[in-house]
Amino acid sequence: MDERIKEHLKYLNKYYLLLLDARKLPYDEFANNLVYYGSSERFLQLAIESCLNIGNRLLSLIQFVKPVATPETYADIFKEMSRLGVVDHDFMQRLIKMAGLRNRLVHLYWKIDQKTLYEFLQNDLDDFKLFQQSVVAYLNQNKLDKT
Protein backbone atom coordinates (compact mmCIF):
# COMPACT_ATOMS: atom_id res chain seq x y z
CA MET A 1 0.00 0.00 0.00
CA ASP A 2 1.17 3.52 -0.75
CA GLU A 3 3.03 4.88 2.30
CA ARG A 4 1.38 8.32 2.22
CA ILE A 5 -2.09 6.82 2.10
CA LYS A 6 -1.15 4.43 4.90
CA GLU A 7 0.08 7.35 7.01
CA HIS A 8 -3.12 9.35 6.48
CA LEU A 9 -5.26 6.28 7.20
CA LYS A 10 -3.49 6.06 10.57
CA TYR A 11 -4.23 9.73 11.26
CA LEU A 12 -7.84 9.24 10.22
CA ASN A 13 -8.20 6.31 12.58
CA LYS A 14 -6.66 8.32 15.44
CA TYR A 15 -9.11 11.19 14.95
CA TYR A 16 -12.02 8.76 14.59
CA LEU A 17 -11.19 7.13 17.92
CA LEU A 18 -10.93 10.51 19.66
CA LEU A 19 -14.29 11.56 18.22
CA LEU A 20 -15.77 8.21 19.23
CA ASP A 21 -14.98 9.09 22.85
CA ALA A 22 -16.75 12.44 22.47
CA ARG A 23 -19.77 10.70 20.93
CA LYS A 24 -20.28 8.74 24.17
CA LEU A 25 -20.96 11.91 26.15
CA PRO A 26 -24.52 13.01 26.93
CA TYR A 27 -25.48 16.11 24.93
CA ASP A 28 -25.57 18.47 27.93
CA GLU A 29 -22.10 17.47 29.04
CA PHE A 30 -20.75 17.82 25.50
CA ALA A 31 -22.45 21.17 24.81
CA ASN A 32 -21.48 22.77 28.11
CA ASN A 33 -17.84 21.73 28.15
CA LEU A 34 -15.77 23.91 25.81
CA VAL A 35 -12.84 21.50 25.93
CA TYR A 36 -14.92 18.58 24.62
CA TYR A 37 -16.70 20.76 22.10
CA GLY A 38 -13.60 22.61 20.89
CA SER A 39 -11.41 19.54 20.61
CA SER A 40 -14.19 17.70 18.76
CA GLU A 41 -14.41 20.54 16.25
CA ARG A 42 -10.69 20.32 15.62
CA PHE A 43 -10.53 16.52 15.43
CA LEU A 44 -13.50 16.52 13.06
CA GLN A 45 -11.76 19.03 10.80
CA LEU A 46 -8.59 16.93 10.84
CA ALA A 47 -10.50 13.72 10.11
CA ILE A 48 -12.23 15.31 7.11
CA GLU A 49 -8.94 16.73 5.87
CA SER A 50 -7.41 13.26 6.21
CA CYS A 51 -10.15 11.92 3.92
CA LEU A 52 -9.42 14.69 1.44
CA ASN A 53 -5.68 14.00 1.54
CA ILE A 54 -6.25 10.28 1.07
CA GLY A 55 -8.63 10.93 -1.82
CA ASN A 56 -6.25 13.34 -3.50
CA ARG A 57 -3.33 10.93 -3.17
CA LEU A 58 -5.43 8.05 -4.45
CA LEU A 59 -6.44 10.06 -7.52
CA SER A 60 -2.80 10.95 -8.15
CA LEU A 61 -1.93 7.24 -8.14
CA ILE A 62 -4.86 6.20 -10.32
CA GLN A 63 -3.90 8.73 -13.00
CA PHE A 64 -0.94 6.49 -13.92
CA VAL A 65 -3.39 3.71 -14.81
CA LYS A 66 -6.40 5.52 -16.28
CA PRO A 67 -7.61 9.05 -17.00
CA VAL A 68 -8.58 11.05 -13.93
CA ALA A 69 -10.27 14.45 -13.87
CA THR A 70 -8.32 17.03 -11.92
CA PRO A 71 -10.40 18.08 -8.89
CA GLU A 72 -11.00 21.81 -8.57
CA THR A 73 -12.86 21.62 -5.26
CA TYR A 74 -12.92 19.31 -2.27
CA ALA A 75 -16.27 17.98 -3.45
CA ASP A 76 -14.66 17.11 -6.80
CA ILE A 77 -12.26 14.73 -5.05
CA PHE A 78 -15.19 12.66 -3.80
CA LYS A 79 -17.05 12.92 -7.13
CA GLU A 80 -14.04 11.54 -8.96
CA MET A 81 -13.62 8.78 -6.38
CA SER A 82 -17.22 7.80 -7.05
CA ARG A 83 -16.78 7.91 -10.83
CA LEU A 84 -13.77 5.59 -10.48
CA GLY A 85 -15.65 3.14 -8.26
CA VAL A 86 -13.86 3.80 -4.96
CA VAL A 87 -17.11 4.87 -3.25
CA ASP A 88 -20.72 4.54 -4.35
CA HIS A 89 -22.96 7.44 -5.32
CA ASP A 90 -24.91 7.62 -2.05
CA PHE A 91 -21.74 7.62 0.02
CA MET A 92 -20.24 10.24 -2.29
CA GLN A 93 -23.17 12.54 -1.46
CA ARG A 94 -22.44 12.19 2.26
CA LEU A 95 -18.73 12.84 1.67
CA ILE A 96 -19.56 16.01 -0.25
CA LYS A 97 -21.61 17.21 2.72
CA MET A 98 -18.65 16.36 4.92
CA ALA A 99 -16.40 18.54 2.75
CA GLY A 100 -18.91 21.37 3.16
CA LEU A 101 -18.82 20.89 6.92
CA ARG A 102 -15.02 21.09 6.79
CA ASN A 103 -15.28 24.43 4.98
CA ARG A 104 -17.69 25.74 7.61
CA LEU A 105 -15.41 24.54 10.42
CA VAL A 106 -12.49 26.41 8.87
CA HIS A 107 -14.08 29.51 7.32
CA LEU A 108 -17.42 29.96 9.11
CA TYR A 109 -16.57 28.43 12.47
CA TRP A 110 -18.83 30.85 14.32
CA LYS A 111 -21.82 29.35 12.52
CA ILE A 112 -21.18 25.81 13.83
CA ASP A 113 -23.13 25.19 17.01
CA GLN A 114 -22.89 22.39 19.55
CA LYS A 115 -26.05 20.70 18.29
CA THR A 116 -24.77 20.44 14.70
CA LEU A 117 -21.48 18.98 15.82
CA TYR A 118 -23.11 16.58 18.29
CA GLU A 119 -25.57 15.37 15.64
CA PHE A 120 -22.68 14.67 13.28
CA LEU A 121 -20.95 12.63 15.98
CA GLN A 122 -24.12 10.66 16.67
CA ASN A 123 -25.26 10.10 13.09
CA ASP A 124 -22.32 10.36 10.68
CA LEU A 125 -19.12 9.55 12.53
CA ASP A 126 -18.97 5.99 11.21
CA ASP A 127 -18.65 7.35 7.67
CA PHE A 128 -14.95 7.73 8.46
CA LYS A 129 -14.69 3.97 8.97
CA LEU A 130 -16.63 3.32 5.78
CA PHE A 131 -14.31 5.67 3.90
CA GLN A 132 -11.28 3.88 5.29
CA GLN A 133 -12.71 0.48 4.34
CA SER A 134 -13.62 1.67 0.84
CA VAL A 135 -10.13 2.99 0.15
CA VAL A 136 -8.40 -0.11 1.50
CA ALA A 137 -10.71 -2.40 -0.51
CA TYR A 138 -10.02 -0.40 -3.68
CA LEU A 139 -6.27 -0.50 -3.10
CA ASN A 140 -6.37 -4.24 -2.42
CA GLN A 141 -8.20 -4.81 -5.71
CA ASN A 142 -5.98 -2.52 -7.81
CA LYS A 143 -2.21 -2.27 -8.20
CA LEU A 144 -1.40 1.42 -7.80
CA ASP A 145 1.68 1.62 -5.58
CA LYS A 146 3.93 4.50 -6.72
CA THR A 147 5.90 5.33 -3.54
Side-chain angles (χ1 to χ4, degrees):
M1 180 184 298
D2 179 75
E3 288 301 316
R4 283 194 230 167
I5 289 178
K6 191 185 301 185
E7 180 181 9
H8 284 289
L9 286 169
K10 287 178 186 177
Y11 286 129
L12 177 58
N13 192 59
K14 178 174 95 172
Y15 304 136
Y16 169 79
L17 293 173
L18 290 164
L19 290 166
L20 202 57
D21 283 342
R23 178 167 79 177
K24 296 174 188 173
L25 297 170
Y27 176 74
D28 288 338
E29 186 176 349
F30 176 83
N32 293 316
N33 186 316
L34 290 177
V35 173
Y36 286 133
Y37 171 69
S39 61
S40 295
E41 270 190 340
R42 178 65 175 153
F43 293 137
L44 180 56
Q45 175 194 340
L46 293 172
I48 297 168
E49 289 187 8
S50 294
C51 292
L52 293 164
N53 289 334
I54 292 164
N56 227 7
R57 177 64 178 172
L58 185 60
L59 295 179
S60 74
L61 294 173
I62 294 171
Q63 75 179 343
F64 293 105
V65 179
K66 58 179 118 177
V68 174
T70 303
E72 294 184 25
T73 67
Y74 289 139
D76 289 346
I77 293 170
F78 298 132
K79 289 176 185 174
E80 192 63 8
M81 289 177 73
S82 176
R83 187 187 72 75
L84 294 166
V86 181
V87 297
D88 67 35
H89 181 78
D90 290 338
F91 188 42
M92 174 201 69
Q93 295 296 333
R94 296 198 314 268
L95 291 169
I96 289 170
K97 287 181 185 176
M98 198 183 288
L101 178 58
R102 178 259 174 221
N103 290 338
R104 290 194 314 278
L105 285 165
V106 172
H107 302 293
L108 301 169
Y109 52 88
W110 62 92
K111 291 188 177 186
I112 302 288
D113 60 14
Q114 289 93 336
K115 186 177 183 205
T116 300
L117 190 58
Y118 192 78
E119 286 177 357
F120 181 92
L121 294 177
Q122 298 308 309
N123 302 323
D124 301 312
L125 185 59
D126 291 330
D127 282 348
F128 291 121
K129 272 295 169 200
L130 180 56
F131 181 84
Q132 190 175 35
Q133 292 164 354
S134 299
V135 169
V136 169
Y138 186 87
L139 287 171
N140 286 339
Q141 294 170 0
N142 297 274
K143 303 242 185 265
L144 301 173
D145 200 16
K146 291 271 189 202
T147 51

